[in-house]
Amino acid sequence: MDVAVVMGSISDFPKIQGTIDTLDSLGISYNTKIISAHRMPNELQAFGRSAKYEQYKVIIAAAGGAAHLPGMLAANTTLPVIGIPVKTSTLNGVDSLLSIVQMPSGVPVATVAIGDAGAKNAALLAAQILAISDDKIAQSLDDFRERQTKEAIDSNEQLH
Ligand code: RP5
């Protein structure tokens, strides 16, 4: 599998449907996993340390609140980690965003937007990383961009 899609809780799953749908539509292989940073710290470390040897190439990690899952995974691997800030009911995901994006120097996490746009963009960013060395994924991405542009042009024409 090329991508590991890790989430902090089963409650995150419906919020990253866009990630799953986008990976599917681009033909990218992935596994989904629940690893809670604060409830499963040992499992988190074990997965982070083994991910490269399990042949994953990119990790997408979604978490909400004091969202330390992406950062702690990044601390345990040199694979690229893309963090999705999950929208929370108390602070609308601003808590998640700041927890994920504000990584101190030395251990980066590529952070996408809160909400559906971020969930989809996480998959697209993973695809762009994989496309560097995978012509089939590169072609899927080009096709996606072409469709997206055509839809935008068509919507402009419908407006008139
Ligand atoms: C985080 O805490 C998860 O990523 C989730 O977004 C949030 C709430 O988790 P639950 O209490 O719903 O399991 O670890």
Side-chain angles (χ1 to χ4, degrees), residues 7-12 15 35-39 62-69 84-88 96:
M7 62 210 91
S9 166
I10 194 145
S11 67
D12 296 327
K15 299 178 182 169
I35 304 177
S36 166
H38 60 289
R39 295 171 184 144
H68 29 261
L69 174 64
I84 304 176
V86 169
K87 189 166 183 174
T88 51
S96 322

Side-chain angles (χ1 to χ4, degrees), residues 2-3 18-30 60 119-131 134-148:
D2 280 341
V3 179
T19 306
I20 305 298
D21 292 345
T22 305
L23 290 172
D24 282 337
S25 73
L26 294 170
I28 294 174
S29 64
Y30 61 90
I60 295 175
K120 186 172 171 181
N121 277 347
L124 290 170
L125 183 53
Q128 289 178 209
I129 294 168
L130 295 167
D134 187 319
D135 291 344
K136 218 167 149 224
I137 295 174
Q139 186 60 56
S140 298
L141 271 170
D142 285 345
D143 293 347
F144 162 77
R145 286 279 179 105
E146 215 172 287
R147 277 198 309 277
Q148 182 168 250

Side-chain angles (χ1 to χ4, degrees), residues 93-115:
V94 174
D95 44 352
S96 322
L97 173 66
L98 296 179
S99 301
I100 295 173
V101 79
Q102 286 293 68
M103 283 300 288
S105 166
V107 180
V109 171
T111 309
V112 294
I114 303 165

Side-chain angles (χ1 to χ4, degrees), residues 120 143-159:
K120 186 172 171 181
D143 293 347
F144 162 77
R145 286 279 179 105
E146 215 172 287
R147 277 198 309 277
Q148 182 168 250
T149 300
K150 189 178 176 312
E151 280 166 21
I153 290 169
D154 288 351
S155 72
N156 176 54
E157 279 163 8
Q158 279 161 23
L159 194 66

